[in-house]
Amino acid sequence: TEVLNTVNQQMFGDAMPELRLDKSSLILSFGADFLGTWISPVHFAGQFSQFRSSPERGTLIQIESKMSLTGANADMWVAARPGSEGILALAIANSLLSDKKQLTTTALPQDVIELVKKYDINYAAKVTGISDKTILRITNAIATRMANDKSCLALAGAPVEGQEQGFASVAAIQLL
């Protein structure tokens, strides 16, 4: 979690921001096995229970290279090539930014917007091994919740941190 803490400190000013799974309507987890081994499984299991039992039952999308306990409980489990998660996160961000009615870009620095624009869904599909249709399904699920003022939470787990490009991948996921 050292990489995650460093990215969080740099991006949010807090190495360990409070994660509220129970307040989200969609969780997009990139290898964060929060029900099994990640940070505090007992704590997160309680929040996940509330996430699932809310009137609008939350949706969990788990992206990882091998099935985890959290993945087994996901509404949508997606296998991705190890090391490709950051590219997928940037392609999702690009798709969300391209949909002008869904998201305003005024809060993002121009250099970040230009970086994100370099990663499209077709490129991500080639690199990750995930079909473009699946990436679009994920993006549309996020966009639908955002259009209805629902909160979405993206998580970066230990498998993402432990890669050669771990820092950049975690930062891309936290950007979402």
Side-chain angles (χ1 to χ4, degrees):
T1 60
E2 187 175 326
V3 171
L4 178 62
N5 290 347
T6 303
V7 171
N8 285 339
Q9 184 66 46
Q10 289 183 10
M11 292 182 79
F12 306 125
D14 187 349
M16 295 190 71
E18 182 178 2
L19 300 173
R20 296 297 308 262
L21 278 60
D22 57 324
K23 301 292 183 191
S24 299
S25 87
L26 181 139
I27 299 169
L28 179 60
S29 171
F30 292 82
D33 186 15
F34 57 84
L35 295 175
T37 60
W38 191 66
I39 302 177
S40 180
V42 173
H43 173 75
F44 288 128
Q47 285 190 12
F48 186 70
S49 174
Q50 291 176 347
F51 168 80
R52 287 297 205 196
S53 62
S54 68
E56 294 183 28
R57 186 181 183 275
T59 300
L60 169 61
I61 302 172
Q62 183 76 0
I63 300 165
E64 55 195 355
S65 60
K66 62 179 184 161
M67 180 72 72
S68 66
L69 181 59
T70 302
N73 285 280
D75 297 290
M76 181 179 186
W77 182 82
V78 181
R81 287 188 186 110
S84 68
E85 297 90 348
I87 291 169
L88 177 59
L90 290 171
I92 292 169
N94 182 12
S95 183
L96 292 170
L97 288 172
S98 297
D99 190 353
K100 298 293 185 198
K101 67 182 180 284
Q102 296 295 338
L103 188 65
T104 61
T105 60
T106 56
L108 292 174
Q110 190 61 37
D111 59 335
V112 172
I113 293 169
E114 293 305 317
L115 171 72
V116 168
K117 285 182 180 179
K118 294 178 182 178
Y119 295 88
D120 67 15
I121 289 176
N122 293 326
Y123 176 70
K126 290 176 190 170
V127 173
T128 63
I130 301 169
S131 74
D132 56 348
K133 290 178 184 176
T134 299
I135 298 171
L136 279 172
R137 274 184 57 205
I138 294 167
T139 302
N140 289 336
I142 296 167
T144 299
R145 281 165 180 82
M146 290 174 65
N148 293 311
D149 292 325
K150 304 288 183 185
S151 62
C152 300
L153 180 62
L155 305 172
V160 176
E161 293 179 61
Q163 306 166 17
E164 183 178 336
Q165 297 295 321
F167 186 90
S169 293
V170 171
I173 292 163
Q174 296 301 69
L175 177 66
L176 281 175

